[in-house]
Amino acid sequence: MAQEQLRRFWQEFSENKIAVVALFVVLALVFLAIAAPFITPQNPYDLSSLVLSDSRRPPGFVGSKGFTHWLGTDAQGRDLFSAILYGLKISLEIGLSAGAIAFCLGATLGAGSAFLGGRTEAIAMRIVDLQLSFPAILLALVLSAVMGQGKVQLIIALAAAQYAYFARTAHGAAIAERSKEYVEAARSTPLSSWRVLFRHILPNCLPPLIVVATVQVANAIALEATLSFLGLGLPPTEPSLGALIANGFQYMLSGRYWISIFPGIALIVLIIAVNIVGDQIRDQLNPGLRR
Amino acid sequence: MMDDAASRDFVSLEHVSRRFSTGTPWTDRLLTRFGRTPPPRTVYAVSDVSLTIKRGEALGLVGESGCGKSTLGRILCGILPPSEGQATIAGEPVVVDGHKVSRRVQMVFQNPFASLNPRLTIGDAIAEGPLAHGLVTPAQARDYVQGWIERVGLPADVVQRYPHQFSGGQRQRVAIARALAMQPDVLVCDEPVASLDVSIQAQILNLFLQLREELNLTVLFISHDLGVVRHICDRVAVMYLGRIVEEADTAAIYNAPAHPYTRALLDSIPRLEPDGSEAQFKAIAGELPSPLRPPPGCAFHERCPLAFDICNTQVPELTVIDPSHDRRVACHALRDK
């Protein structure tokens, strides 16, 4: 039945041509990011491979190492094509890990507090509401400023800023589920609270959470780029897409547009593609939105 | 075999009450401060019910919607902890510190479309409880589940399927198998056939009768369908607004109802006259009063043809009036005779 459901899901998904293209773009970008070390002419994180005399060269320039910089080079002499693929990899890693952590944390907190009810629920959900009432970027900014630079710190900061969306959604779904008879049946067996929560309530809260997850992965990528752009993300030796944009920003007006523009295009394409796929999944999982 | 006294009180509910309240909001505290009485926010769904069921007996619990019969069933099954009193099975409490500890009582719910987890296969749903309680080892689970599936009359190949692939009657069979796989002594059935087609109802009821016989189950059968209860149960308890008003052997209740509410309830069953004349039934006058503001005295006095002055002030106690039929009635008019 699971296979058949999946088949029907794909059939409906493939009716939306734009979503199929977007899915293809996402998969292609993921593939490029994973395969980056094998297809790029240069490792942009290996500082010894950078040639400073090749810096800020326009697209199509043939560098001193003998290969063509199709997208030009940045201020440190990094080949932009290589740097974008490596940056894509970092962005995806951070976006997916932060999204996954926020998902687990938020789903457990939201569904758990709905399950426990009473004061626990009230306090946990008021904290979540409080956090939702100011922008996620603000919290991520403060946290990464406190914890310092680094991939792990960034993931923690992003997860902490985003779990609230999952918690809200899971809480709402779990409230609807917790009063259903199958939950009463499970409790009257009796089964342990953990089992009732993780085997009965949470699996039935998944559809809306999957929707939030696709949107929040795109948001996490954008947040990471924002933090990096503001100089709080990753160290400049390991530039993500946001850091690349920031690096090239000061040269924009001097005509060296490529340093900022190309990473920017890559970022926009990634975020838009993930969002389109997410929207399509949301439309399909939410019968209320069907035409 | 157990001695007679223990067998008699096999299932026992002792002075069980269940309140539902929303706490005291600050607006109410403000009202009280200014000398007003805030609206009542506490509902007694069940008040001071004492009931025993003999081992192997089937007790029917009947009454109008909202009279508290489902709440009483859920208290016995340990889903709702009672506010006062306690439920015991063979002397052991069902609920300790608000958590159900006994697996000897299981429940079959009204709506088989809601009482099965849509994301568990039939096999997983039946095996989960017994595995969690160590009734079977994981190696035996397969055969164990298969055994129960056959016992409730489902085809053997349903194990890997999901609830949405079944009809209501089949789902109710799955729900029965899941409850019985826990090897309970007591089964609480909360309107188990109310949501099924009439033709399916008979099948499920026959399955109940057969399994009850085979497994020597003690049953609390909750229903508003008086015909079904007559068919299934040895004894019947009638509930009105959270209290039991009459309890007696099934034959005694149906042939000679004593409490005016029981009489009215039985009269309200639509009947076809044998001579083909017009169908006749008497509806009970008035409506079930709001449990938020229960009438003082006997809760039924506003609708009762026998009511007299004491009924407006004193709650009648459930007393034995007819020992030969083990009949208990809560009515001032009948006791004073």
Side-chain angles (χ1 to χ4, degrees), chain A residues 174-197:
Chain A
I175 279 184
E177 296 298 323
R178 72 179 175 190
S179 55
K180 290 197 178 158
E181 279 185 349
Y182 72 85
V183 176
E184 283 193 332
R187 288 167 80 160
S188 75
T189 301
L191 298 174
S192 67
S193 301
W194 285 107
R195 190 180 274 270
V196 175
L197 179 59

PDB file of all heavy atoms in Angstrom, chain A residues 174-197:
ATOM      1  N   ALA A 174      -1.213  17.495  16.764  1.00  0.00           N
ATOM      2  CA  ALA A 174      -1.313  16.515  17.855  1.00  0.00           C
ATOM      3  C   ALA A 174      -2.572  16.748  18.691  1.00  0.00           C
ATOM      4  O   ALA A 174      -3.158  15.801  19.204  1.00  0.00           O
ATOM      5  CB  ALA A 174      -0.072  16.578  18.739  1.00  0.00           C
ATOM      6  N   ILE A 175      -2.999  18.023  18.806  1.00  0.00           N
ATOM      7  CA  ILE A 175      -4.239  18.291  19.544  1.00  0.00           C
ATOM      8  C   ILE A 175      -5.418  17.606  18.862  1.00  0.00           C
ATOM      9  O   ILE A 175      -6.290  17.030  19.508  1.00  0.00           O
ATOM     10  CB  ILE A 175      -4.470  19.813  19.645  1.00  0.00           C
ATOM     11  CG1 ILE A 175      -3.624  20.366  20.775  1.00  0.00           C
ATOM     12  CG2 ILE A 175      -5.929  20.125  19.882  1.00  0.00           C
ATOM     13  CD1 ILE A 175      -3.851  21.822  21.020  1.00  0.00           C
ATOM     14  N   ALA A 176      -5.390  17.653  17.504  1.00  0.00           N
ATOM     15  CA  ALA A 176      -6.463  16.979  16.779  1.00  0.00           C
ATOM     16  C   ALA A 176      -6.373  15.465  16.964  1.00  0.00           C
ATOM     17  O   ALA A 176      -7.389  14.784  17.070  1.00  0.00           O
ATOM     18  CB  ALA A 176      -6.395  17.342  15.296  1.00  0.00           C
ATOM     19  N   GLU A 177      -5.162  14.934  17.029  1.00  0.00           N
ATOM     20  CA  GLU A 177      -5.002  13.476  17.096  1.00  0.00           C
ATOM     21  C   GLU A 177      -5.250  12.927  18.499  1.00  0.00           C
ATOM     22  O   GLU A 177      -5.761  11.831  18.654  1.00  0.00           O
ATOM     23  CB  GLU A 177      -3.584  13.065  16.655  1.00  0.00           C
ATOM     24  CG  GLU A 177      -3.266  13.377  15.204  1.00  0.00           C
ATOM     25  CD  GLU A 177      -4.177  12.643  14.233  1.00  0.00           C
ATOM     26  OE1 GLU A 177      -4.539  11.489  14.500  1.00  0.00           O
ATOM     27  OE2 GLU A 177      -4.553  13.258  13.217  1.00  0.00           O
ATOM     28  N   ARG A 178      -4.854  13.722  19.531  1.00  0.00           N
ATOM     29  CA  ARG A 178      -4.799  13.136  20.868  1.00  0.00           C
ATOM     30  C   ARG A 178      -6.171  12.722  21.397  1.00  0.00           C
ATOM     31  O   ARG A 178      -6.276  11.875  22.265  1.00  0.00           O
ATOM     32  CB  ARG A 178      -4.156  14.114  21.860  1.00  0.00           C
ATOM     33  CG  ARG A 178      -5.039  15.293  22.214  1.00  0.00           C
ATOM     34  CD  ARG A 178      -4.379  16.218  23.206  1.00  0.00           C
ATOM     35  NE  ARG A 178      -5.219  17.376  23.422  1.00  0.00           N
ATOM     36  CZ  ARG A 178      -4.852  18.454  24.075  1.00  0.00           C
ATOM     37  NH1 ARG A 178      -3.641  18.523  24.583  1.00  0.00           N
ATOM     38  NH2 ARG A 178      -5.673  19.467  24.218  1.00  0.00           N
ATOM     39  N   SER A 179      -7.242  13.351  20.864  1.00  0.00           N
ATOM     40  CA  SER A 179      -8.568  12.998  21.382  1.00  0.00           C
ATOM     41  C   SER A 179      -9.237  11.923  20.541  1.00  0.00           C
ATOM     42  O   SER A 179     -10.384  11.565  20.795  1.00  0.00           O
ATOM     43  CB  SER A 179      -9.437  14.249  21.424  1.00  0.00           C
ATOM     44  OG  SER A 179      -9.469  14.835  20.150  1.00  0.00           O
ATOM     45  N   LYS A 180      -8.526  11.418  19.528  1.00  0.00           N
ATOM     46  CA  LYS A 180      -9.146  10.372  18.713  1.00  0.00           C
ATOM     47  C   LYS A 180      -9.143   9.045  19.458  1.00  0.00           C
ATOM     48  O   LYS A 180      -8.314   8.802  20.329  1.00  0.00           O
ATOM     49  CB  LYS A 180      -8.385  10.245  17.384  1.00  0.00           C
ATOM     50  CG  LYS A 180      -8.621  11.450  16.489  1.00  0.00           C
ATOM     51  CD  LYS A 180      -8.247  11.178  15.068  1.00  0.00           C
ATOM     52  CE  LYS A 180      -8.548  12.393  14.212  1.00  0.00           C
ATOM     53  NZ  LYS A 180      -7.763  12.381  12.978  1.00  0.00           N
ATOM     54  N   GLU A 181     -10.068   8.189  19.043  1.00  0.00           N
ATOM     55  CA  GLU A 181     -10.262   6.946  19.798  1.00  0.00           C
ATOM     56  C   GLU A 181      -9.065   6.021  19.733  1.00  0.00           C
ATOM     57  O   GLU A 181      -8.817   5.270  20.662  1.00  0.00           O
ATOM     58  CB  GLU A 181     -11.522   6.239  19.301  1.00  0.00           C
ATOM     59  CG  GLU A 181     -12.788   6.820  19.918  1.00  0.00           C
ATOM     60  CD  GLU A 181     -14.033   6.045  19.526  1.00  0.00           C
ATOM     61  OE1 GLU A 181     -13.949   5.189  18.626  1.00  0.00           O
ATOM     62  OE2 GLU A 181     -15.086   6.311  20.117  1.00  0.00           O
ATOM     63  N   TYR A 182      -8.304   6.052  18.629  1.00  0.00           N
ATOM     64  CA  TYR A 182      -7.192   5.100  18.571  1.00  0.00           C
ATOM     65  C   TYR A 182      -6.130   5.443  19.614  1.00  0.00           C
ATOM     66  O   TYR A 182      -5.410   4.559  20.084  1.00  0.00           O
ATOM     67  CB  TYR A 182      -6.591   5.016  17.156  1.00  0.00           C
ATOM     68  CG  TYR A 182      -5.790   6.203  16.714  1.00  0.00           C
ATOM     69  CD1 TYR A 182      -4.439   6.313  17.041  1.00  0.00           C
ATOM     70  CD2 TYR A 182      -6.357   7.218  15.960  1.00  0.00           C
ATOM     71  CE1 TYR A 182      -3.700   7.396  16.632  1.00  0.00           C
ATOM     72  CE2 TYR A 182      -5.629   8.301  15.552  1.00  0.00           C
ATOM     73  CZ  TYR A 182      -4.304   8.384  15.885  1.00  0.00           C
ATOM     74  OH  TYR A 182      -3.572   9.474  15.490  1.00  0.00           O
ATOM     75  N   VAL A 183      -6.036   6.724  19.995  1.00  0.00           N
ATOM     76  CA  VAL A 183      -5.102   7.094  21.058  1.00  0.00           C
ATOM     77  C   VAL A 183      -5.633   6.592  22.410  1.00  0.00           C
ATOM     78  O   VAL A 183      -4.884   6.048  23.224  1.00  0.00           O
ATOM     79  CB  VAL A 183      -4.883   8.614  21.080  1.00  0.00           C
ATOM     80  CG1 VAL A 183      -3.990   9.007  22.244  1.00  0.00           C
ATOM     81  CG2 VAL A 183      -4.272   9.077  19.772  1.00  0.00           C
ATOM     82  N   GLU A 184      -6.945   6.745  22.623  1.00  0.00           N
ATOM     83  CA  GLU A 184      -7.549   6.192  23.843  1.00  0.00           C
ATOM     84  C   GLU A 184      -7.344   4.689  23.892  1.00  0.00           C
ATOM     85  O   GLU A 184      -7.029   4.125  24.948  1.00  0.00           O
ATOM     86  CB  GLU A 184      -9.059   6.483  23.854  1.00  0.00           C
ATOM     87  CG  GLU A 184      -9.412   7.898  24.233  1.00  0.00           C
ATOM     88  CD  GLU A 184     -10.905   8.035  24.527  1.00  0.00           C
ATOM     89  OE1 GLU A 184     -11.689   7.265  23.959  1.00  0.00           O
ATOM     90  OE2 GLU A 184     -11.252   8.911  25.333  1.00  0.00           O
ATOM     91  N   ALA A 185      -7.515   4.040  22.736  1.00  0.00           N
ATOM     92  CA  ALA A 185      -7.339   2.590  22.683  1.00  0.00           C
ATOM     93  C   ALA A 185      -5.907   2.223  23.068  1.00  0.00           C
ATOM     94  O   ALA A 185      -5.681   1.297  23.842  1.00  0.00           O
ATOM     95  CB  ALA A 185      -7.673   2.065  21.289  1.00  0.00           C
ATOM     96  N   ALA A 186      -4.940   2.972  22.536  1.00  0.00           N
ATOM     97  CA  ALA A 186      -3.536   2.676  22.847  1.00  0.00           C
ATOM     98  C   ALA A 186      -3.253   2.901  24.325  1.00  0.00           C
ATOM     99  O   ALA A 186      -2.547   2.130  24.962  1.00  0.00           O
ATOM    100  CB  ALA A 186      -2.628   3.548  21.989  1.00  0.00           C
ATOM    101  N   ARG A 187      -3.832   3.972  24.876  1.00  0.00           N
ATOM    102  CA  ARG A 187      -3.581   4.248  26.291  1.00  0.00           C
ATOM    103  C   ARG A 187      -4.256   3.232  27.190  1.00  0.00           C
ATOM    104  O   ARG A 187      -3.762   2.937  28.277  1.00  0.00           O
ATOM    105  CB  ARG A 187      -4.091   5.650  26.637  1.00  0.00           C
ATOM    106  CG  ARG A 187      -3.210   6.725  26.039  1.00  0.00           C
ATOM    107  CD  ARG A 187      -3.871   8.047  26.112  1.00  0.00           C
ATOM    108  NE  ARG A 187      -3.747   8.619  27.439  1.00  0.00           N
ATOM    109  CZ  ARG A 187      -3.884   9.905  27.684  1.00  0.00           C
ATOM    110  NH1 ARG A 187      -4.145  10.727  26.689  1.00  0.00           N
ATOM    111  NH2 ARG A 187      -3.754  10.371  28.879  1.00  0.00           N
ATOM    112  N   SER A 188      -5.395   2.718  26.753  1.00  0.00           N
ATOM    113  CA  SER A 188      -6.118   1.799  27.625  1.00  0.00           C
ATOM    114  C   SER A 188      -5.567   0.387  27.527  1.00  0.00           C
ATOM    115  O   SER A 188      -6.020  -0.496  28.234  1.00  0.00           O
ATOM    116  CB  SER A 188      -7.611   1.815  27.296  1.00  0.00           C
ATOM    117  OG  SER A 188      -7.849   1.102  26.105  1.00  0.00           O
ATOM    118  N   THR A 189      -4.575   0.176  26.642  1.00  0.00           N
ATOM    119  CA  THR A 189      -4.059  -1.204  26.510  1.00  0.00           C
ATOM    120  C   THR A 189      -3.452  -1.760  27.795  1.00  0.00           C
ATOM    121  O   THR A 189      -3.747  -2.919  28.124  1.00  0.00           O
ATOM    122  CB  THR A 189      -3.071  -1.278  25.332  1.00  0.00           C
ATOM    123  OG1 THR A 189      -3.760  -0.891  24.151  1.00  0.00           O
ATOM    124  CG2 THR A 189      -2.502  -2.653  25.155  1.00  0.00           C
ATOM    125  N   PRO A 190      -2.661  -1.121  28.626  1.00  0.00           N
ATOM    126  CA  PRO A 190      -2.050   0.196  28.467  1.00  0.00           C
ATOM    127  C   PRO A 190      -0.675   0.098  27.801  1.00  0.00           C
ATOM    128  O   PRO A 190       0.039  -0.870  27.987  1.00  0.00           O
ATOM    129  CB  PRO A 190      -1.893   0.638  29.921  1.00  0.00           C
ATOM    130  CG  PRO A 190      -1.717  -0.627  30.694  1.00  0.00           C
ATOM    131  CD  PRO A 190      -2.427  -1.712  29.953  1.00  0.00           C
ATOM    132  N   LEU A 191      -0.333   1.143  27.051  1.00  0.00           N
ATOM    133  CA  LEU A 191       1.012   1.263  26.484  1.00  0.00           C
ATOM    134  C   LEU A 191       1.683   2.449  27.152  1.00  0.00           C
ATOM    135  O   LEU A 191       1.019   3.356  27.638  1.00  0.00           O
ATOM    136  CB  LEU A 191       0.936   1.491  24.976  1.00  0.00           C
ATOM    137  CG  LEU A 191       0.291   0.375  24.154  1.00  0.00           C
ATOM    138  CD1 LEU A 191       0.145   0.808  22.703  1.00  0.00           C
ATOM    139  CD2 LEU A 191       1.117  -0.894  24.224  1.00  0.00           C
ATOM    140  N   SER A 192       3.023   2.456  27.155  1.00  0.00           N
ATOM    141  CA  SER A 192       3.735   3.548  27.809  1.00  0.00           C
ATOM    142  C   SER A 192       3.498   4.850  27.048  1.00  0.00           C
ATOM    143  O   SER A 192       3.212   4.851  25.859  1.00  0.00           O
ATOM    144  CB  SER A 192       5.232   3.248  27.843  1.00  0.00           C
ATOM    145  OG  SER A 192       5.748   3.263  26.532  1.00  0.00           O
ATOM    146  N   SER A 193       3.618   5.960  27.766  1.00  0.00           N
ATOM    147  CA  SER A 193       3.385   7.264  27.148  1.00  0.00           C
ATOM    148  C   SER A 193       4.300   7.484  25.958  1.00  0.00           C
ATOM    149  O   SER A 193       3.899   8.050  24.948  1.00  0.00           O
ATOM    150  CB  SER A 193       3.616   8.367  28.174  1.00  0.00           C
ATOM    151  OG  SER A 193       2.750   8.187  29.261  1.00  0.00           O
ATOM    152  N   TRP A 194       5.548   7.023  26.073  1.00  0.00           N
ATOM    153  CA  TRP A 194       6.496   7.207  24.967  1.00  0.00           C
ATOM    154  C   TRP A 194       5.998   6.522  23.723  1.00  0.00           C
ATOM    155  O   TRP A 194       6.059   7.058  22.618  1.00  0.00           O
ATOM    156  CB  TRP A 194       7.865   6.633  25.333  1.00  0.00           C
ATOM    157  CG  TRP A 194       8.602   7.486  26.290  1.00  0.00           C
ATOM    158  CD1 TRP A 194       8.818   7.228  27.609  1.00  0.00           C
ATOM    159  CD2 TRP A 194       9.215   8.751  26.031  1.00  0.00           C
ATOM    160  NE1 TRP A 194       9.520   8.255  28.168  1.00  0.00           N
ATOM    161  CE2 TRP A 194       9.779   9.196  27.229  1.00  0.00           C
ATOM    162  CE3 TRP A 194       9.326   9.543  24.883  1.00  0.00           C
ATOM    163  CZ2 TRP A 194      10.454  10.402  27.340  1.00  0.00           C
ATOM    164  CZ3 TRP A 194       9.998  10.754  24.987  1.00  0.00           C
ATOM    165  CH2 TRP A 194      10.545  11.161  26.198  1.00  0.00           C
ATOM    166  N   ARG A 195       5.502   5.295  23.928  1.00  0.00           N
ATOM    167  CA  ARG A 195       5.045   4.534  22.778  1.00  0.00           C
ATOM    168  C   ARG A 195       3.817   5.187  22.152  1.00  0.00           C
ATOM    169  O   ARG A 195       3.718   5.300  20.933  1.00  0.00           O
ATOM    170  CB  ARG A 195       4.714   3.116  23.224  1.00  0.00           C
ATOM    171  CG  ARG A 195       4.456   2.177  22.095  1.00  0.00           C
ATOM    172  CD  ARG A 195       4.149   0.809  22.647  1.00  0.00           C
ATOM    173  NE  ARG A 195       5.336   0.042  22.893  1.00  0.00           N
ATOM    174  CZ  ARG A 195       5.888  -0.758  21.967  1.00  0.00           C
ATOM    175  NH1 ARG A 195       5.352  -0.852  20.784  1.00  0.00           N
ATOM    176  NH2 ARG A 195       6.955  -1.447  22.250  1.00  0.00           N
ATOM    177  N   VAL A 196       2.900   5.638  22.999  1.00  0.00           N
ATOM    178  CA  VAL A 196       1.701   6.287  22.470  1.00  0.00           C
ATOM    179  C   VAL A 196       2.105   7.524  21.671  1.00  0.00           C
ATOM    180  O   VAL A 196       1.612   7.772  20.577  1.00  0.00           O
ATOM    181  CB  VAL A 196       0.733   6.675  23.613  1.00  0.00           C
ATOM    182  CG1 VAL A 196      -0.438   7.461  23.069  1.00  0.00           C
ATOM    183  CG2 VAL A 196       0.238   5.428  24.327  1.00  0.00           C
ATOM    184  N   LEU A 197       3.063   8.285  22.213  1.00  0.00           N
ATOM    185  CA  LEU A 197       3.468   9.526  21.561  1.00  0.00           C
ATOM    186  C   LEU A 197       4.193   9.247  20.241  1.00  0.00           C
ATOM    187  O   LEU A 197       3.845   9.801  19.205  1.00  0.00           O
ATOM    188  CB  LEU A 197       4.356  10.337  22.512  1.00  0.00           C
ATOM    189  CG  LEU A 197       4.877  11.657  21.975  1.00  0.00           C
ATOM    190  CD1 LEU A 197       3.731  12.574  21.591  1.00  0.00           C
ATOM    191  CD2 LEU A 197       5.748  12.348  23.019  1.00  0.00           C
TER     192      LEU A 197
END
